[in-house]
């Protein structure tokens, strides 16, 4: 759900890069190879909804159950992009958005986004999720969400200094989202003219 930004909001883009990097520096060349993902309708993980956070609405702690259950690993169904450690606290308030440039061997593409804070101790903290399913006019055509970025769950979150930002891109997100069944190959681009990115609504830490 998109919400209007609060005063002082700065839209900050983190670009997907080679070797799973996430950086505010836009790719400056076209030599980057796309990341290959495969869609089979399942990633080996089960994603649990936000219902565990309901107790927080009443002033209690959330239920200490993992929001993602990893059953087994299926190669090329998930890809992580991680930033360098943050030099200072960073607060976001609003709707994170994702822009993807991609090609697909099949007619339908599913790219599900999950945003995490990774603490210095290595613990993942779920911040927001988003889902996308697009139609390809023809196999291997160039497609993107630039004109209509993927809206993730509106949220408020403060990333602590020393933590990293992690964006996980997956080709399915059971049980939350109806999957695309079948087998197809997706090429996710991150080069200068096709720079896939995560856009965060950063606000002053006074909020």
């Amino acid at each position: 759900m998109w919400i209007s930004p609060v005063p002082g909001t700065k839209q900050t883009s983190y670009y997907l890069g080679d070797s799973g990097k996430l950086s505010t520096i836009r790719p400056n060349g076209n030599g980057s190879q796309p990341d290959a993902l495969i869609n089979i309708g399942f990633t080996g993980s089960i994603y649990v909804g936000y219902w565990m956070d309901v107790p927080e609405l009443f002033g209690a702690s959330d239920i200490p159950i993992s929001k993602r259950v990893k059953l087994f690993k299926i190669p090329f169904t998930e890809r992580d992009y991680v930033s360098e450690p943050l030099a200072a606290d960073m607060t976001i308030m609003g709707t994170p958005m994702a822009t993807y440039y991609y090609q697909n061997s099949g007619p339908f593409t599913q790219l599900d986004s999950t945003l995490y804070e990774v603490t210095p101790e290595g613990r993942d903290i779920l911040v927001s999720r988003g889902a996308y399913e697009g139609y390809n006019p023809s196999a291997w055509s160039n497609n993107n969400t630039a004109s209509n970025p993927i809206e993730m769950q509106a949220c408020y979150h403060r990333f602590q200094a020393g933590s990293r930002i992690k964006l996980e891109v997956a080709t399915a997100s059971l049980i939350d989202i109806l999957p695309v069944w079948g087998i197809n190959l997706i090429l996710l681009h991150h080069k200068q003219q096709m720079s896939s990115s995560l856009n965060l609504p950063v606000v002053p830490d006074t909020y």
Side-chain angles (χ1 to χ4, degrees):
M1 179 183 67
W2 186 86
I3 59 174
S4 299
V6 299
T9 300
K10 179 182 179 182
Q11 299 295 332
T12 303
S13 295
Y14 284 82
Y15 296 96
L16 283 58
D18 293 329
S19 303
K21 293 181 180 179
L22 195 64
S23 172
T24 55
I25 301 175
R26 189 185 184 95
N28 59 7
N30 291 313
S32 295
Q33 296 299 313
D35 291 324
L37 295 167
I38 187 169
N39 175 85
I40 57 174
F42 189 60
T43 65
S45 298
I46 297 294
Y47 293 81
V48 183
Y50 288 97
W51 60 269
M52 294 174 297
D53 300 329
V54 171
E56 291 187 334
L57 297 175
F58 302 95
S61 299
D62 66 343
I63 301 174
I65 302 175
S66 175
K67 296 176 176 65
R68 177 188 179 192
V69 180
K70 295 184 180 181
L71 303 177
F72 47 85
K73 183 176 178 61
I74 303 177
F76 302 108
T77 59
E78 300 168 304
R79 187 76 165 95
D80 292 342
Y81 298 88
V82 185
S83 74
E84 293 294 324
L86 296 172
D89 290 356
M90 186 182 78
T91 304
I92 63 172
M93 184 188 303
T95 308
M97 296 188 179
T99 297
Y100 296 134
Y101 290 81
Y102 66 91
Q103 294 172 279
N104 191 356
S105 63
F108 295 100
T109 299
Q110 186 168 126
L111 293 170
D112 299 323
S113 310
T114 308
L115 175 63
Y116 295 97
E117 174 182 354
V118 183
T119 68
E121 298 76 29
R123 183 169 68 94
D124 285 353
I125 300 174
L126 175 64
V127 177
S128 184
R129 291 175 177 163
Y132 168 75
E133 184 174 313
Y135 173 72
N136 313 307
S138 60
W140 301 117
S141 60
N142 287 315
N143 301 277
N144 66 76
T145 66
S147 62
N148 189 21
I150 302 162
E151 296 181 7
M152 302 175 71
Q153 182 74 33
C155 62
Y156 168 87
H157 183 79
R158 180 165 294 170
F159 293 86
Q160 302 297 317
S163 289
R164 299 171 186 261
I165 300 168
K166 181 170 80 172
L167 175 68
E168 177 194 86
V169 183
T171 56
S173 184
L174 293 173
I175 54 180
D176 282 348
I177 302 166
L178 185 67
V180 174
W181 297 112
I183 300 176
N184 54 73
L185 179 66
I186 302 167
L187 298 179
L188 183 59
H189 291 279
H190 43 74
K191 55 187 179 181
Q192 186 176 30
Q193 300 303 319
M194 293 188 283
S195 50
S196 297
S197 63
L198 167 70
N199 191 275
L200 298 180
V202 178
V203 300
D205 289 333
T206 53
Y207 282 101

